[in-house]
Amino acid sequence: MGGNAFRKIAVVVVGLFILLQGGTSNAEVSGYVKSLWLNTETIIGKEESVEQSINRFRMTWRQPFSKAQILLSYDIEWQFGDYLATDQYQLQKQLTPNTYWELENEWHNKDEEKGSHGLYRAYIRMPVGSVDIRIGRQQLNWSRSFIWSSFDRFNPYDPLQLEPDERQGVDAVQLVWNRENGSRVEWVSVGGHSDSEKASGIRMRTHIQTTDLDFVLADYGTVRAGGFSAAGQLGSAGWRLEATRNEYEETAPTATRSRYNDIVVSMNYTFVSETTLITELLYRGDGANKPQEYDWLALLAGKRTDVAKRYIGLIFKQELDSISGVDITWLYNANDNSYVFLPTVRHSPGEYEDLHFRIGFQWFKGRTDTEFGRQKPLFFGEMQWFY
């Protein structure tokens, strides 16, 4: 389907339901106000200490109709700091892939200041019998793991991202068939301006006794994948597994192997003291064995969340009370022996339960040519108020 046709169909569908279905009075409005500050050093271009402040107002509107529901999530964002004037930021901005629909725009861009606004999420949801249809900008997360994934490729999660709850949306059509036995089948088609940007896939979710199972066949533009995932309990501990067999398209420019395997294995356990421990192992078949072979540009652009073959991840979570906690993540690249240490403290004042504070840092160790060793320490603080 061509880009213009895809957009016209989406606009017509949304317009028809707004005009013909008739809205109800039980609309829901929510959102947040956030201020995030960070300090680090650049690693591309001139090495210098830099700061950045990200300030965002988000408003989410949910409107049910008689046969559909519309969700719009709108952001107004103001950024400032000398990081915006660096070569590293400019390169990252150029490499970041554009979304299919242009639903964002800059209203101010000058030196070390940037103002932007746009739709973070925008979709219409329509149940038709046992099939749930969703069209528009949405989040597609097919992963069962905690840190890395072989399934989550539509808008993958980066374990180093400072805002763990934020995921770039994709412009897609999703059909979910909910079956009477508790299983379901999901089909997704993601729009793109070229064949390499388009993606589609089908996933079946089912269970055998207490074990949850997923089966996936997908085409991610440059890579086709087929695989399965499973999750269950081993005594009091939880376990998760993802495995895919992948094949590069012949036209893929970065393909070093035509076929490769991805495997993710996770274990998690929560103690009575409200302490949670998670360990995760990743084998990435198309990753590199040596730092000289790393795809740094894909990592910077967000097209990859890792560059090597073998990783180990550990997560420690401790709830101090109902309003405070500590999260510590350790990621280890087993190919180049570099690692990163990510401690975070979070707190919500008891009398202001909608106000949240976070403070933390990212500490990197390794040789200067390794994945984590080349990066510089980063410190951040965040204040967020939900309404």
Side-chain angles (χ1 to χ4, degrees):
M1 182 183 294
N4 290 332
F6 191 96
R7 284 189 287 269
K8 290 178 181 178
I9 290 175
V11 170
V12 170
V13 170
V14 173
L16 285 176
F17 270 89
I18 291 176
L19 293 175
L20 300 180
Q21 300 303 321
T24 63
S25 60
N26 55 343
E28 178 183 337
V29 177
S30 61
Y32 67 72
V33 179
K34 174 188 287 189
S35 182
L36 172 66
W37 170 88
L38 64 93
N39 176 275
T40 186
E41 294 181 40
T42 56
I43 59 174
I44 296 176
K46 181 183 177 182
E47 294 188 6
E48 53 185 326
S49 177
V50 293
E51 295 183 355
Q52 183 182 11
S53 177
I54 302 172
N55 306 278
R56 182 185 308 124
F57 169 78
R58 173 171 297 166
M59 181 177 67
T60 299
W61 173 68
R62 295 176 177 85
Q63 175 66 65
F65 294 84
S66 59
K67 295 183 180 180
Q69 182 184 72
I70 290 178
L71 182 143
L72 297 175
S73 190
Y74 174 73
D75 285 354
I76 300 178
E77 191 169 276
W78 172 259
Q79 298 186 37
F80 63 89
D82 49 4
Y83 177 68
L84 302 180
T86 63
D87 295 336
Q88 179 171 316
Y89 173 78
Q90 296 301 324
L91 178 61
Q92 186 176 18
K93 186 178 178 181
Q94 294 174 12
L95 292 174
T96 302
N98 296 321
T99 52
Y100 181 62
W101 286 325
E102 296 180 2
L103 302 180
E104 307 89 9
N105 190 31
E106 292 185 356
W107 49 269
H108 179 81
N109 194 338
K110 181 180 179 182
D111 299 330
E112 300 177 1
E113 303 171 355
K114 188 183 84 166
S116 61
H117 70 122
L119 288 173
Y120 176 70
R121 298 285 186 266
Y123 62 80
I124 181 171
R125 178 175 172 265
M126 300 170 288
V128 180
S130 60
V131 177
D132 193 57
I133 304 172
R134 184 176 295 186
I135 303 174
R137 176 158 299 175
Q138 54 194 286
Q139 177 180 330
L140 298 173
N141 181 8
W142 282 6
S143 173
R144 287 191 181 273
S145 53
F146 295 96
I147 304 174
W148 301 286
S149 177
S150 61
F151 277 29
D152 186 18
R153 305 193 200 181
F154 295 114
N155 46 352
Y157 169 75
D158 183 352
L160 295 183
Q161 67 185 54
L162 294 181
E163 299 179 274
D165 296 331
E166 296 293 314
R167 303 284 288 273
Q168 179 176 328
V170 292
D171 302 322
V173 177
Q174 180 184 35
L175 306 181
V176 180
W177 176 30
N178 298 292
R179 306 178 66 189
E180 293 182 355
N181 61 1
S183 64
R184 69 185 188 188
V185 179
E186 304 173 11
W187 174 84
V188 169
S189 179
V190 179
H193 297 290
S194 64
D195 290 340
S196 63
E197 295 177 346
K198 296 177 182 177
S200 61
I202 186 169
R203 175 175 70 162
M204 179 178 179
R205 309 200 75 175
T206 187
H207 61 87
I208 299 177
Q209 295 182 347
T210 60
T211 301
D212 296 323
L213 297 171
D214 291 357
F215 299 92
V216 167
L217 286 175
D219 185 340
Y220 297 105
T222 58
V223 178
R224 293 188 295 266
F228 74 96
S229 69
Q233 292 290 127
L234 186 62
S236 299
W239 62 271
R240 305 184 184 194
L241 169 69
E242 292 182 2
T244 57
R245 178 66 170 174
N246 310 273
E247 181 179 9
Y248 273 109
E249 302 279 2
E250 294 181 358
T251 57
T254 59
T256 56
R257 297 177 59 185
S258 59
R259 295 181 178 88
Y260 64 94
N261 299 318
D262 286 342
I263 301 174
V264 182
V265 180
S266 305
M267 294 289 294
N268 63 284
Y269 186 85
T270 300
F271 298 86
V272 294
S273 60
E274 296 190 72
T275 302
T276 300
L277 296 179
I278 300 169
T279 181
E280 191 162 287
L281 307 177
L282 167 67
Y283 174 79
R284 187 75 77 194
D286 70 335
N289 285 310
K290 301 177 181 179
Q292 298 90 329
E293 301 170 351
Y294 289 167
D295 192 347
W296 296 113
L297 292 181
L299 186 68
L300 184 65
K303 296 179 180 179
R304 296 187 67 106
T305 61
D306 44 79
V307 289
K309 281 188 180 297
R310 299 171 181 86
Y311 291 86
I312 301 173
L314 298 174
I315 298 177
F316 168 87
K317 292 178 175 287
Q318 178 63 63
E319 299 301 325
L320 302 178
D321 50 43
S322 61
I323 57 175
S324 303
V326 176
D327 303 329
I328 300 176
T329 301
W330 178 76
L331 309 177
Y332 175 69
N333 181 326
N335 285 100
D336 63 23
N337 296 316
S338 64
Y339 62 89
V340 57
F341 181 62
L342 313 167
T344 303
V345 177
R346 45 188 166 79
H347 175 72
S348 297
E351 63 274 24
Y352 302 104
E353 60 182 15
D354 294 326
L355 184 62
H356 298 261
F357 296 92
R358 285 195 312 137
I359 187 170
F361 63 90
Q362 299 181 348
W363 191 263
F364 303 91
K365 292 292 290 184
R367 302 190 314 272
T368 56
D369 64 337
T370 59
E371 177 182 3
F372 298 128
R374 73 192 298 263
Q375 302 189 56
K376 304 299 182 181
L378 183 148
F379 302 87
F380 74 91
E382 179 187 86
M383 180 179 66
Q384 187 172 15
W385 174 68
F386 293 90
Y387 66 89

